[in-house]
Amino acid sequence: MSTSPSDSPPLKAANEATTYSVDSSSTDSLPDRAVFDPILLPEDSYDVDGTYWADLPFTERVRFVLNYDIFVEGKRELGEIWADAKKNPFSPLITYFKSAVLPGAGLGLEGYVLFSIGNIKPLFKAVWKECWDTHGVCDARWVNSIEYLEVAGIMVGQILVGIQGDWVGRKFGLVQDAVIMFLGLVLLTASWGTSLNGWVICYAWCLFIYGIGVGGEYPMTATMSMESRTGTGVVSTKEDRLHRGRSVTSAFLMQGWGQFWNVVVLMVVLLIANGSGHPPYSEKAVQIAFRVSFAIPAIGTAALVWHRMFLKNTNQELDTQKKKSKVTGYDLESLKLTFTHFGGRMFATAGTWFANDVFFYGNKLFQSEFIKVITPDDHSVMTGWKWNLVNVSVSMVGYYLASLLIDNKLYGRKRMQIVGFMFDFILFIIPAFAFKYFTSREHIYGFQAMYFLSSFFNQFGPNSVTFLVAAEVYPASVRASAHGFGAAVGKLGAVAAAILYSYIDTQTKFYVVPWFGLAGAIMTWIWLPDTTGLDLSEQERRWRYIRQGRGEEYCGVAVHKNHLSLWERWMGIGKQYNPDRDYKMKISEMRAEWEEGRSKVKEGHAEEGCPIVWNEHVEAYFQRTAGRPADHDVIEHTTAEITHVNEKHQ
């Protein structure tokens, strides 16, 4: 918040008001800035002079961010972890389980199963070659349809459940997803046929059913993890501003753990069932391996259904925002306005997800080719799984590093995605033009390093960021729908990679795929806003202005240039940014919310709303000034008054 020099002392005093210890009888004497600054100018986003972190000069911004993130918030979190650990050594693990593992359990289970499909395919080819390889007894179209039906089911789930999540509610979508995934896993475990071709057909349709549940996990997990930390109304929460990205990506990275444990389980089960990890493999061993590998996540998914049935407050943010907009059912008006006002964002979140999935799934599809290059004389399925385990382990480092830095205001979402896309572009374009050089035995380690680094930067970049921003840059009323749409377009990238890789050789893949990384970086740079450090309640404020047809009147930080895309700035959005005016508007809005709640209680409708109380000082202030009009200038107070408050409460 920009201020004149004469404003600095009052603002500084007001920030210091956060440490006041006052009795209720003294709150009436607090001037307005001392009442509202601790709420409207939180210390994690504003300096002592009331300047928003993104308005600070670069060196001061760096100093402010590093000081608060490391020496204030970092110290606080580590202190809490240490204090809890002294009481119970397992407390940090329990906290991590509740905050990341449980919210991301659905994605962990689907990651396990979906990547199991690719992992067991070489095993099927080794035992039933006439069906899965030469197609002598199986229809090649049905064998190839396995991947396409799986992706089709996911896309149906992403769009359908995304709409349901905004229409019926988050909890309904979460429970429904788990039930469908459980049903799909039971069918996959028991899949059979009177012939190999009949079994392939059954297997393909079971994957389609399972895929519907998987697709719904994307918008539901993202919105649930995101909204669990948000504030409602004018005032936001520190957890939302500082750790929203970490909350979502911590749940998302469970997908990586799912991939990891799938490889481990398959290796152990095959060793036990076959007596060896090397060929020949018996049909019985393969039957045991793939059915047990599906039965294990079925048990976990059944537990997930039970857990989600008892979740509470999952719809709180959605219900609050719908209530403020006086909407029941599905908010079609917001959907239309989203395409009108956030069309560039729709293009960015869907387009970059498409580009990323060409890389992400292309990387998985290309993995067998990579293994052939580095181990030309080894045809063991176990060898492929070992290299897959290495690749997933490298990816996990990227997942966790993304979670660690995605909320950092000096790096954040947008830079992370651009850097990740550009590294993937570079790491694929280099071997494209020197393929024989890097695939020769004497330079094979360089080829390995580039392939594994591409996996690392995919997770420490677009794969993590696209999952977050596809929900984050939209209002709550259409958040799940927008995320589902972006994810579904992304899956078209997976289909494109599968089709493309079927017709081109290994070197040509390196010629073609890098350009999707470059395209993703360009789309991110032009059309994607950077929401790092922006609280969602502020974004919802802007959205309410847009719904009321007064979008140009909003002048808060949601239209700060740092939180808008390059395209939006070209379109003139953000010119109205005015922190001083916005401060006054926020107080007016807080008063309006307080008055509305108080009137409902007086009318005997306490169940519909109650007086909003931010703290005792605000309550006393609104009680004292109840007769003043909501648009009255509540800002002007003399330096002497502020000084008096400081001297009284120091």
Side-chain angles (χ1 to χ4, degrees):
M1 179 173 179
S2 60
T3 58
S4 65
S6 61
D7 288 330
S8 296
L11 286 169
K12 183 175 182 179
N15 271 276
E16 290 173 351
T18 57
T19 61
Y20 290 161
S21 176
V22 296
D23 56 50
S24 58
S25 62
S26 68
T27 58
D28 285 351
S29 67
L30 284 175
D32 301 340
R33 296 224 66 126
V35 170
F36 292 106
D37 276 14
I39 299 172
L40 300 184
L41 305 179
E43 63 179 358
D44 58 88
S45 297
Y46 293 84
D47 72 355
V48 293
D49 294 323
T51 305
Y52 188 54
W53 68 268
D55 285 325
L56 293 169
F58 178 74
T59 54
E60 293 182 28
R61 185 189 311 177
V62 171
R63 190 182 305 115
F64 173 81
V65 172
L66 293 180
N67 177 68
Y68 195 87
D69 286 5
I70 296 175
F71 297 108
V72 179
E73 184 63 12
K75 184 178 179 180
R76 181 193 67 81
E77 286 196 299
L78 289 175
E80 288 182 356
I81 292 171
W82 177 245
D84 291 341
K86 286 194 294 184
K87 297 176 183 176
N88 180 359
F90 296 102
S91 178
L93 291 177
I94 294 171
T95 301
Y96 179 76
F97 181 81
K98 290 180 179 179
S99 62
V101 177
L102 277 180
L107 287 173
L109 290 163
E110 65 89 2
Y112 176 105
V113 176
L114 289 190
F115 290 93
S116 177
I117 309 306
N119 287 332
I120 61 179
K121 191 173 181 178
L123 198 59
F124 290 160
K125 285 184 177 181
V127 177
W128 296 296
K129 186 175 182 179
E130 68 279 11
C131 175
W132 289 84
D133 193 6
T134 61
H135 307 307
V137 298
C138 295
D139 191 326
R141 290 172 296 182
W142 276 111
V143 174
N144 294 329
S145 73
I146 289 173
E147 290 175 353
Y148 302 137
L149 280 174
E150 172 194 344
V151 174
I154 294 173
M155 292 174 66
V156 169
Q158 287 166 336
I159 295 174
L160 178 64
V161 181
I163 294 172
Q164 287 178 330
D166 289 330
W167 190 348
V168 184
R170 315 303 195 212
K171 182 175 181 178
F172 177 85
L174 287 165
V175 174
Q176 176 185 260
D177 291 338
V179 170
I180 294 174
M181 287 197 296
F182 175 70
L183 175 62
L185 282 168
V186 171
L187 293 173
L188 282 168
T189 305
S191 60
W192 203 263
T194 56
S195 65
L196 278 174
N197 194 57
W199 168 58
V200 167
I201 296 172
C202 178
Y203 184 66
W205 283 110
C206 291
L207 275 174
F208 174 81
I209 295 171
Y210 181 76
I212 295 174
V214 169
E217 278 300 300
Y218 282 73
M220 290 299 95
T221 301
T223 53
M224 180 190 69
S225 300
M226 187 172 299
E227 293 172 354
S228 64
R229 296 175 180 269
T230 60
T232 56
V234 176
V235 182
S236 61
T237 67
K238 184 171 73 170
E239 283 295 304
D240 170 63
R241 294 187 298 270
L242 294 180
H243 305 308
R244 180 176 67 246
R246 186 178 70 185
S247 176
V248 176
T249 52
S250 293
F252 178 63
L253 66 80
M254 292 305 298
Q255 185 184 73
W257 280 114
Q259 299 171 44
F260 179 89
W261 286 111
N262 172 250
V263 179
V264 172
V265 168
L266 280 174
M267 292 173 71
V268 171
V269 174
L270 184 63
L271 282 171
I272 295 172
N274 195 61
S276 169
H278 301 287
Y281 307 107
S282 68
E283 290 189 13
K284 181 180 179 180
V286 175
Q287 290 276 6
I288 293 173
F290 97 82
R291 295 186 191 279
V292 170
S293 72
F294 287 140
I296 291 174
I299 297 170
T301 307
L304 185 64
V305 174
W306 179 260
H307 166 70
R308 288 182 172 179
M309 289 177 67
F310 298 98
L311 287 175
K312 297 179 180 179
N313 301 323
T314 54
N315 297 326
Q316 181 176 348
E317 174 70 3
L318 176 66
D319 292 342
T320 298
Q321 300 307 331
K322 280 187 175 183
K323 184 177 179 181
K324 288 179 180 293
S325 300
K326 297 179 173 58
V327 172
T328 57
Y330 191 78
D331 193 352
L332 283 172
E333 179 64 22
S334 285
L335 187 64
K336 294 176 184 176
L337 289 172
T338 298
F339 281 96
T340 302
H341 292 271
F342 291 162
R345 299 185 179 196
M346 296 292 287
F347 177 74
T349 54
T352 55
W353 206 326
F354 178 92
N356 172 67
D357 272 18
V358 172
F359 255 105
F360 181 67
Y361 286 93
N363 187 299
K364 300 302 176 185
L365 293 168
F366 178 70
Q367 188 165 261
S368 60
E369 298 289 338
F370 163 75
I371 294 168
K372 287 179 184 177
V373 170
I374 61 176
T375 57
D377 302 322
D378 192 337
H379 303 290
S380 171
V381 171
M382 195 67 73
T383 300
W385 289 349
K386 289 177 182 177
W387 281 111
N388 189 5
L389 198 60
V390 174
N391 195 32
V392 172
S393 299
V394 172
S395 297
M396 289 302 300
V397 179
Y399 274 117
Y400 275 99
L401 196 57
S403 185
L404 179 66
L405 293 178
I406 202 162
D407 286 311
N408 183 277
K409 298 181 181 71
L410 303 178
Y411 194 57
R413 291 97 156 110
K414 190 166 185 173
R415 289 186 183 88
M416 185 180 293
Q417 181 152 297
I418 291 175
V419 170
F421 268 130
M422 289 305 298
F423 265 101
D424 281 341
F425 168 71
I426 294 168
L427 291 167
F428 267 66
I429 204 71
I430 291 174
F433 291 95
F435 188 72
K436 290 184 178 179
Y437 174 85
F438 282 107
T439 54
S440 62
R441 286 188 177 274
E442 58 270 25
H443 301 110
I444 199 67
Y445 294 112
F447 184 64
Q448 285 178 280
M450 285 188 287
Y451 182 76
F452 289 138
L453 282 172
S454 72
S455 295
F456 168 81
F457 279 106
N458 187 251
Q459 311 312 325
F460 182 45
N463 200 42
S464 295
V465 177
T466 51
F467 183 82
L468 169 63
V469 297
E472 189 178 47
V473 300
Y474 303 107
S477 54
V478 293
R479 182 168 292 142
S481 301
H483 190 281
F485 172 76
V489 173
K491 282 296 172 286
L492 289 176
V495 174
I499 295 174
L500 184 66
Y501 279 27
S502 299
Y503 293 98
I504 57 178
D505 60 26
T506 303
Q507 185 171 5
T508 306
K509 293 171 186 175
F510 277 95
Y511 280 127
V512 174
V513 171
W515 304 105
F516 287 94
L518 183 60
I522 293 172
M523 284 188 285
T524 304
W525 175 55
I526 297 177
W527 284 284
L528 186 69
D530 191 352
T531 42
T532 307
L534 174 66
D535 61 79
L536 290 189
S537 65
E538 194 63 36
Q539 186 164 268
E540 293 297 335
R541 278 189 66 225
R542 181 192 173 197
W543 186 250
R544 287 194 292 276
Y545 277 78
I546 290 174
R547 277 191 58 90
Q548 296 166 10
R550 303 188 299 129
E552 70 283 350
E553 295 180 25
Y554 174 81
C555 55
V557 294
V559 293
H560 189 285
K561 64 180 182 179
N562 260 49
H563 301 310
L564 296 174
S565 67
L566 184 61
W567 176 260
E568 288 171 330
R569 298 203 298 272
W570 285 345
M571 294 295 102
I573 301 172
K575 291 181 179 179
Q576 71 268 32
Y577 175 62
N578 187 326
D580 294 317
R581 180 166 175 253
D582 187 60
Y583 188 100
K584 302 175 184 180
M585 292 170 68
K586 281 183 178 179
I587 295 177
S588 296
E589 291 169 29
M590 290 172 71
R591 181 193 295 278
E593 287 189 52
W594 183 82
E595 292 285 1
E596 181 183 8
R598 189 175 67 163
S599 66
K600 286 181 178 179
V601 171
K602 286 183 178 180
E603 294 168 4
H605 301 293
E607 71 280 356
E608 296 180 13
C610 58
I612 296 176
V613 181
W614 288 272
N615 62 36
E616 61 181 15
H617 308 310
V618 175
E619 173 70 12
Y621 175 84
F622 284 148
Q623 290 280 6
R624 185 176 80 244
T625 60
R628 294 167 62 178
D631 60 352
H632 187 85
D633 185 352
V634 297
I635 305 304
E636 296 178 359
H637 277 272
T638 63
T639 303
E641 288 179 290
I642 301 290
T643 304
H644 171 71
V645 172
N646 270 340
E647 292 173 350
K648 183 176 181 180
H649 297 294
Q650 277 182 348

